[in-house]
Each structure stands twice: as C-alpha cells, then as structure tokens.
Amino acid sequence: MLLSDVLHHCARPAALLAEALRVAARVVALKDHFRFGPVSEKVLLLMDVVGNAAPGVEVRGAYFTPGELVELVRGAGGRITGLEWPLRIHDMPFRLVTQDRLQFAARVERPAGGGGR
C-alpha cells in the first residue's frame, strides 16, 4: 500500500496509518515531507497551497519532524524498516524550491503476527 503526500493532509494521521497497516498485505510505503523549523515549514506550506489549489484539497500545514514521524509510526502500531532521505523527486529548477532534504520515503511494517488480512 502507498500513502504519498497524504498524511500531512489528515486530521488524524495516526488513525489513517493504523488502518493502512491493518489492511496492507505486508508494508505501507510512505512518501511525505520533513520540516526542520519555521523556514522549511513555510516553504512546505507554500508548495502545498500552490500544488493543491486547483483540486481543492484541504491544506492543514501539519508537516512532521523526523522524531514526530517515528512517534506517529509507533503510535499507529508500525515500525520503520527503511528510510530514503533526502529524496530527490524533482528536477531542476523545481528542486531549488522543493528541496530534497524536505522529502522522504519510508517503509513501514506492522510487527510480525499483527493485524492484516
């Protein structure tokens, strides 16, 4: 199962991740954003507002620090078994704004014998 740029839009990201872990065959792949302070938070919010204006997606501005991601995953009953960070997903010149260090991909698994189909 893949959750790409979804968790930061959710009112209850831990509940969504817990449900994804419950129904996933083995793994939930996450792609989302890290924030490292007020400047990166503003950059992410601007990207989010611009990128989601046309489809009308609610922008909550709830981006995670690396520590918050670890706690979110634990709280949802999972564990991070892989992390790619920084993550290069855009080419120049967009990469100047989107910043590889603000992007991550993670492999999240539920404990052996826990939940699932």
Side-chain angles (χ1 to χ4, degrees):
M1 175 172 291
L2 172 66
L3 296 176
S4 181
D5 294 333
V6 171
L7 290 179
H8 66 270
H9 289 282
C10 296
R12 296 177 48 223
L16 176 68
L17 183 55
E19 181 65 6
L21 284 165
R22 186 185 73 77
V23 301
R26 300 177 94 209
V27 171
V28 174
L30 293 180
K31 190 281 173 194
D32 220 296
H33 310 285
F34 282 142
R35 71 172 160 77
F36 296 99
V39 173
S40 63
E41 190 167 26
K42 285 180 178 32
V43 168
L44 290 168
L45 184 59
L46 178 64
M47 288 190 316
D48 225 0
V49 168
V50 170
N52 290 294
V57 174
E58 180 180 2
V59 174
R60 301 179 61 81
Y63 314 105
F64 309 101
T65 65
E68 289 168 344
L69 175 69
V70 169
E71 289 305 311
L72 174 76
V73 170
R74 280 188 192 144
R79 63 187 179 98
I80 297 171
T81 59
L83 179 70
E84 186 168 341
W85 173 82
L87 182 64
R88 179 175 289 176
I89 60 169
H90 296 106
D91 292 326
M92 293 298 263
F94 301 108
R95 196 169 51 217
L96 295 172
V97 175
T98 61
Q99 302 178 34
D100 298 347
R101 73 183 189 94
L102 302 180
Q103 316 289 328
F104 75 86
R107 176 186 172 100
V108 178
E109 297 181 35
R110 63 179 179 267
R117 301 188 254 178

